[in-house]
Amino acid sequence: MTAGLTISLEGKVALVTGSARGLGAEIARTLAGAGATVMITDILAPEGEATVADINKSGGRAAFLKHDVTREDQWQEVVAKTVSELGGLDIVVNNAGIEICALLEDTSMEDFQRILDINVSGVFLGIKHGCKAMKPGGTAGKGGSIINLSSVAGLRGFAGLGAYCGSKGAVKLLTKAAAVEFGNLGYGVRVNSIHPGLIFTDMGNAVLKGIVEAGLAPDEAATRQLFETLTPLGMTGAPSDIAKAALYLASDQSPWVTGAELVVDGGITAS
Ligand SMILES: NC(=O)c1ccc[n+]([C@@H]2O[C@H](COP(=O)([O-])OP(=O)(O)OC[C@H]3O[C@@H](n4cnc5c(N)ncnc54)[C@H](O)[C@@H]3O)[C@@H](O)[C@H]2O)c1
């Protein structure tokens, strides 16, 4: 008989960016539920504080810091405060992100730059400052796990999501380069990416609208139907599906997993 697998993060400290709402909030709740102390960071302060209150009310341990992931000075401050106030750093989840739906020919340079700043530079800074703190000799110094939210849009193209696809493809390879580098240097810092399919958070719902606004579908129902047709398991994905993937990658149950693309998409990229 095989005993059930219980994943514990007891004694670990996690920092989850963009975790005031959506997938990030669910990841934060799940990591806290497994025993981690979680620093929730976001540009949305009231929503972030509400997520913290929710976690603490249900017996978890969480705190909030306002944090724009494109700002290196804020990254330095957030990592330093996490280590000093929560007692270490073992897990960084680079979850904050935005989407922009538009045909490539209609995408402004400003929008393209903005999506790269948040989705790619934000992840780069999280990898950089997370690693510096977690590597041997760093302020936390015990090694750890960095998890980057890419997307199915980092694995295949989607019409109307060109800028977003470009940013998420970059996250995929930044992850692998970091995994190889930190592995070779013996840092004990693993780096993996998660690739969710479409999930109906604020962002997921905005994609349905955006595809219509880009002129690629007559209405939201048609877009939803298109994703339904493309997804072998149907459009039943929930934030908890992504949070469970993050929990596995964050934990000591994945000690030999680095540079991996964990695809959680109901099969949309399999066909
Ligand atoms: N929902 C989906 O279908 C889906 C699919 C694949 C990948 N993803 C990725 O998962 C992640 C979370 O997506 P979501 O659906 O929860 O989106 P969401 O829009 O619901 O939440 C994103 C969070 O990021 C925060 N954020 C935005 N810009 C920020 C910045 N500069 N600094 C700090 N925080 C910032 C927002 O305030 C928000 O709380 C994103 O990286 C997204 O690209 C989502």
Side-chain angles (χ1 to χ4, degrees), residues 21 23 42 44 67-69 95 150 164 168 196 199 201 203:
R21 70 176 192 209
L23 301 186
D42 206 294
L44 302 175
H67 175 206
D68 178 343
V69 293
N95 165 80
S150 178
Y164 183 75
K168 291 301 185 179
I199 293 176
T201 58
M203 180 185 290

Side-chain angles (χ1 to χ4, degrees), residues 15-19 39-45 64-79 82 92-94 96 122 125-126 129:
L15 190 168
V16 186
T17 68
S19 52
M39 184 62 86
I40 287 178
T41 80
D42 206 294
I43 48 175
L44 302 175
F64 174 76
L65 286 174
K66 193 164 181 199
H67 175 206
D68 178 343
V69 293
T70 65
R71 295 271 306 273
E72 186 157 22
D73 57 336
Q74 293 189 11
W75 264 108
Q76 286 164 320
E77 199 183 318
V78 160
V79 168
T82 303
V92 174
V93 184
N94 287 306
L125 290 171
H129 292 286

